[in-house]
Amino acid sequence: MTRSPRQGDTAHRGATALLAAMAGTAIADNYTLQPALTVVAADLDVPLSAISLVPSAALAGSMAGFALLLPLADRVAPGRLVAAHFTALAAGLVLAATATDAAVLVAAHLIIGAAAAVAAQANVIAGRLAGPGRRGAAVALVATGLSAGILLGRLVGGALTDLIGWRAMLLVCAALALLCAGTAVSRLPGGRPRARDPYRSALAALPRLPLREARLRHAVATGGLWYLAFTLLWVGLALFLARPPHSLDPTAIGLFGLAGLLGFAVLPFTGRLVDRRDPHTVMTVAVAVAASGVLLIALAPDSVPAIAVGLAVFDAGCFVAQAANQSVVLGIDPANSGSFSGAYLVLYFAVGALGTALAGPLIDGIGLRGTMTVAFGALIAAALLAHFGRVGETAPSPSYE
């Protein structure tokens, strides 16, 4: 029995919705421990400086996962691939939950970060299932799931830490990862994609992709600037709110993640806009909106309501811009979209890691207002690049070995 086009479209939408939920579940594990870092440091009796390596380890693991594992999305059946990653994610979370020192916890988060790259694979798989005419809508739906994971991961992690402790919180996340692994096997497509090149050739070509493809370089430069601002703001804000005069606990800091719910309302419309209009125009407007949110926080750094509103506007702008930018990257070479997405995300997260490393020194040196000024400058540069830096939209992508 063959499916009608309507039934096939419905099946693809169902698979995309499932991929969005899985992407959010996976990426959240990079952030669940962030609101509880001071609690973990006290429990393990180690300096906070040692535990502060945990977010950096998760980010480094993600970058390794993007480089080494994303090309597999062009070569391995989605069901098997996603299930394997969630199984590895569960193993990393169990290791973190049973860690007795900071070194083991950091090593565990390298595994967690690498396995969480399945969130980016979900984006590639969804874009391929949807096809060119609906790629923007599919990417936006997965971006909604990713946004939920990034924002609510901190909230859930902080709340569960206060309720049952950080170790039990990580074990709950591990059980959820195993549930996702089983669901992937039974619900995601079992057909194998047909990539032009073998996996080893794809890995060898990965470092050369940004050198050969101008559209990829432009996407990296533009997206990297707003992700620098994103990490500067969120890490710097977490440090700022934990200190006097606010002195907030992990649950309260995690609650600021709810400010990003505005992004959930606008992301579904983003997909339709990207499919019908120039994605660079969407990016330019979105980054300008994000910059206005940062400006509000810079003008009123001691006002909790102003911070919450600024975060809502900032996150909505960044998430919309990222959805538009990833749609562009996936469209460069659809048959090898995993490799192109991997190259993009490695460089994108490398810039984000710079923001994570700079946040602490900037908060100590120039305060929240000064840190927000740096983030504002990065966003303005990103908006200018998006508006004036359009390159090669109609030119064919060069071949690579």
Side-chain angles (χ1 to χ4, degrees):
M1 174 185 263
T2 59
R3 287 181 176 177
S4 68
R6 183 184 297 273
Q7 288 174 320
D9 190 48
T10 301
H12 288 164
R13 276 190 241 173
T16 301
L18 180 60
L19 287 164
M22 289 182 169
T25 301
I27 203 67
D29 292 321
N30 276 356
Y31 301 94
T32 50
L33 208 59
Q34 284 189 14
L37 292 179
T38 55
V39 176
V40 176
D43 188 38
L44 297 180
D45 194 23
V46 296
L48 186 58
S49 58
I51 294 300
S52 66
L53 293 174
V54 166
S56 297
L59 203 55
S62 293
M63 290 167 60
F66 296 147
L68 299 175
L69 303 176
L70 257 178
L72 292 174
D74 299 327
R75 293 160 177 83
V76 180
R80 290 176 54 198
L81 182 65
V82 173
H85 276 74
F86 271 109
T87 301
L89 181 58
L93 288 164
V94 170
L95 180 62
T98 56
T100 56
D101 57 54
V104 174
L105 191 63
V106 169
H109 275 78
L110 285 171
I111 298 172
I112 291 168
V118 70
Q121 288 177 336
N123 211 16
V124 173
I125 295 167
R128 184 175 291 124
L129 288 175
R134 292 185 53 83
R135 184 180 293 121
V139 170
L141 182 57
V142 175
T144 303
L146 281 166
S147 304
I150 292 171
L151 295 174
L152 300 182
R154 294 182 178 92
L155 171 63
V156 173
L160 282 179
T161 296
D162 286 339
L163 185 64
I164 59 177
W166 65 274
R167 294 183 187 275
M169 178 271 292
L170 291 174
L171 290 175
V172 169
C173 293
L176 187 57
L178 288 176
L179 177 62
C180 288
T183 304
V185 172
S186 62
R187 298 293 301 276
L188 292 180
R192 181 179 176 182
R194 296 182 180 180
R196 290 195 297 264
D197 304 314
Y199 174 69
R200 185 177 298 179
S201 298
L203 286 185
L206 205 64
R208 301 196 297 271
L209 289 182
L211 300 177
R212 297 188 178 191
E213 179 52 69
R215 285 172 290 179
L216 182 59
R217 292 196 299 272
H218 179 260
V220 168
T222 309
L225 282 167
W226 70 60
Y227 194 50
L228 173 69
F230 186 89
T231 53
L232 273 177
L233 186 147
W234 272 105
V235 176
L237 195 60
L239 295 172
F240 175 77
L241 293 172
R243 301 174 181 179
H246 298 293
S247 301
L248 300 181
D249 59 25
T251 299
I253 294 173
L255 281 171
F256 277 87
L258 292 175
L261 289 175
L262 178 61
F264 301 159
V266 299
L267 272 172
F269 300 102
T270 303
R272 291 193 285 272
L273 281 174
V274 171
D275 285 332
R276 296 174 185 174
R277 299 181 182 275
D278 176 18
H280 294 90
T281 300
V282 176
M283 277 187 271
T284 302
V285 174
V287 176
V289 169
S292 68
V294 172
L295 185 61
L296 177 59
I297 296 173
L299 292 174
D302 295 322
S303 168
V304 170
I307 291 174
V309 173
L311 278 174
V313 174
F314 169 75
D315 283 349
C318 282
F319 291 145
V320 168
Q322 178 67 343
N325 208 22
Q326 286 194 295
S327 179
V328 171
V329 172
L330 293 176
I332 294 174
D333 183 0
N336 287 283
S337 52
S339 292
F340 275 90
S341 186
Y344 168 73
L345 289 170
V346 167
L347 297 172
Y348 177 82
F349 271 75
V351 179
L354 176 64
T356 301
L358 289 175
L362 285 176
I363 287 290
D364 288 338
I366 59 178
L368 185 65
R369 179 176 280 126
T371 304
M372 293 304 98
T373 301
V374 174
F376 181 80
L379 289 168
I380 293 301
L384 291 173
L385 266 179
H387 183 66
F388 294 108
R390 296 177 176 87
V391 288
E393 273 84 354
T394 58
S397 301
S399 60
Y400 58 92
E401 298 176 2

